[in-house]
Amino acid sequence: MITDPRVFRDDHLPRELKHREAEIEDLSHALDPALAGRPAADVLLAGPSGVGKTALARHTLGKLDQFATVAHTHIQCLGESTTDVLQAALDDLPGHSATDAASVDDLRVALREAVDQPAILVLDEADSLPETDVLDVLDDVPLVSFIAVVHDPQRWLSRAPDAVRRAVSGPIQLGRYGVDELSSILRARANVGLRPSVVSDDQLRGIADEVAGVARSGIQVLRAAAEVASERGHARIHDTDIEDAYERAQHRIRRSKLYSLTFHHHVLYGLVHEAGEVPAGELHDRYDAVGEQMYYGRERTPVGRRSRRNKLRKLVEYELVEAVGDSKSRVYRVVDESVTPSLDSGMCVESVESDDAGNTTSF
DNA sequence: TATCCACCGGAATTTATGGAAG
DNA sequence: CTTCCATAAATTCCGGTGGATA
């Protein structure tokens, strides 16, 4: 059924990016100066999960390569520290002799020395950059510019250094795809990655509609549907295969997000999952009650309430937990009951599995 | 309505960790 | 080995918000 698995991977970049012409144009425009040896503009690229922010950046940089060689590199910022990010930039950009074990200041200096041509960094998942040190340094290296890929541009801007806030252009805002748009994208993937005529246009429209225009989800559903159909010995994809595929795909995506988080997050997720829906105060009480034994025998110890709020916020960002209401009336609940916690308040069995979907689970 | 209380989240501060210098 | 320093994580402090209660 699946003839080319590559086209269903998260990191697959199709030759043509459909329905993003205007955004490609905007981004190209911002990068234009680099073609003439001048620094490109810093750009903010915003939009919800899975609608092609990263693909847009990669695609546009690829186009740039056709006209001139402009150094660029892609950096995954999620969970990385300031030095990790800067070190990655230094390693991937041309023209530097390997330096390691460097402080932020050393890296700043090294970058200034190494870069003598315009260079562009794609800062993926830049929401999670630990504070603004990275941006301060980049602001200090004139030839280096960045494309910051974020979910919430207002929040990002409010935390950015003043100089960056003034200079950055955009945000280029990507929305969810319409049903027509996404089904044509899915059709293109099916044509390349699946045997001919195994899925109908109506079925693709159904998928596009159900995933609410989130391309990543749509593509994973299509892939899972083909897998399910194969497992059942179907020659074509049946509607029932798609129904079951939806579960499988969403479940996979969510589960790998959960696994990428720390033990603290797992404890809190487990408590919310167990309760179904729980007011903030009660959640904290439960944490206090079972915390000691949950953490027993681990290198980590229970955290205070303020830190828990940060963990919970992360769970909300990852769309694993929903927070309804503000302040006093805040209630937490899990988004998908079927994503079961890796531990419960009794035993602490944690099985760490790799993401078998072959995806870099970003969000 | 006025007041209180619990929670949220920004900012400042403290603590823990790892790596380099002496 | 000890000291010093940088960084990340956690905590403390606190103003803001909005239900609950008198």
Side-chain angles (χ1 to χ4, degrees):
Chain A
M1 178 83 61
I2 293 177
T3 55
D4 187 352
R6 285 173 304 171
V7 305
F8 297 109
R9 292 181 57 90
D10 257 8
D11 55 9
H12 174 75
L13 189 64
R15 203 172 337 105
E16 181 198 9
L17 222 52
K18 291 166 167 285
H19 310 300
R20 292 296 193 215
E21 291 78 11
E23 290 84 356
I24 292 170
E25 182 61 33
D26 287 348
L27 186 53
S28 297
H29 184 70
L31 304 183
D32 260 349
L35 291 173
R38 288 178 285 120
D42 293 328
V43 187
L44 196 49
L45 194 52
S49 276
V51 298
K53 298 183 294 297
T54 302
L56 178 71
R58 291 175 60 205
H59 176 87
T60 309
L61 287 168
K63 270 183 44 177
L64 202 63
D65 284 337
Q66 295 170 4
F67 297 101
T69 48
V70 175
H72 55 82
T73 187
H74 189 108
I75 300 171
Q76 182 60 246
C77 303
L78 183 62
E80 303 298 321
S81 67
T82 302
T83 48
D84 290 338
V85 171
L86 293 175
Q87 187 72 57
L90 201 51
D91 289 343
D92 292 354
L93 293 176
H96 93 286
S97 49
T99 56
D100 48 35
S103 69
V104 171
D105 248 1
D106 294 340
L107 287 162
R108 181 202 308 265
V109 172
L111 264 179
R112 290 184 71 114
E113 285 175 359
V115 177
D116 58 354
Q117 292 286 311
I120 298 162
L121 303 180
V122 178
L123 302 176
D124 213 340
E125 307 297 341
D127 302 85
S128 64
L129 276 182
E131 294 317 306
T132 58
D133 290 356
V134 170
L135 300 175
D136 278 328
V137 170
L138 296 184
D139 193 51
D140 206 39
V141 186
L143 284 169
V144 172
S145 54
F146 61 82
I147 301 170
V149 178
V150 304
H151 293 118
D152 182 345
Q154 265 63 50
R155 182 176 159 77
W156 190 87
L157 282 169
S158 74
R159 302 170 134 210
D162 286 347
V164 170
R165 194 175 316 138
R166 279 193 302 272
V168 76
S169 69
I172 297 175
Q173 186 83 45
L174 301 193
R176 298 163 187 268
Y177 290 98
V179 170
D180 289 339
E181 294 173 339
L182 183 48
S183 40
S184 80
I185 289 168
L186 293 176
R187 171 50 69 194
R189 297 288 168 114
N191 288 345
V192 180
L194 301 180
R195 286 211 320 271
S197 320
V198 295
V199 62
S200 73
D201 286 339
D202 274 352
Q203 288 175 318
L204 294 180
R205 291 184 65 83
I207 294 173
D209 189 38
E210 195 154 6
V211 299
V214 176
R216 175 187 294 145
S217 300
I219 290 163
Q220 291 313 311
V221 170
L222 179 57
R223 165 174 174 261
E227 289 170 4
V228 171
S230 293
E231 286 160 18
R232 293 173 177 170
H234 296 161
R236 306 164 40 91
I237 293 175
H238 296 192
D239 286 348
T240 52
D241 299 332
I242 294 176
E243 268 161 45
D244 299 332
Y246 185 73
E247 301 277 331
R248 184 189 290 209
Q250 285 293 61
H251 185 82
R252 255 185 202 158
I253 291 169
R254 288 220 167 84
R255 197 191 56 176
S256 54
K257 282 179 180 175
L258 179 59
Y259 279 123
S260 73
L261 293 171
T262 72
F263 182 70
H264 303 302
H265 297 98
H266 284 253
V267 172
L268 286 163
Y269 182 83
L271 290 173
V272 177
H273 188 274
E274 195 176 72
E277 179 172 303
V278 57
E282 194 184 324
L283 177 60
H284 283 301
D285 289 345
R286 291 193 186 210
Y287 185 98
D288 291 330
V290 301
E292 283 302 325
Q293 44 178 317
M294 296 272 285
Y295 283 82
Y296 181 78
R298 297 193 170 263
E299 75 276 23
R300 297 195 172 275
T301 54
V303 293
R305 297 195 172 217
R306 181 66 187 87
S307 295
R308 292 176 217 166
R309 289 203 285 273
N310 285 341
K311 313 294 177 204
L312 285 164
R313 182 212 257 268
K314 180 68 88 175
L315 286 168
V316 171
E317 265 182 54
Y318 273 49
E319 294 175 347
L320 291 163
V321 165
E322 221 176 345
V324 187
D326 287 318
S327 68
K328 189 92 181 283
S329 59
R330 169 74 62 93
V331 168
Y332 294 100
R333 96 165 64 95
V334 295
V335 171
D336 184 349
E337 287 282 335
S338 79
V339 178
T340 53
S342 59
L343 37 80
D344 57 51
S345 42
M347 294 295 297
C348 301
V349 180
E350 187 183 14
S351 60
V352 177
E353 297 167 36
S354 64
D355 175 12
D356 57 3
N359 296 323
T360 49
T361 45
S362 51
F363 72 97

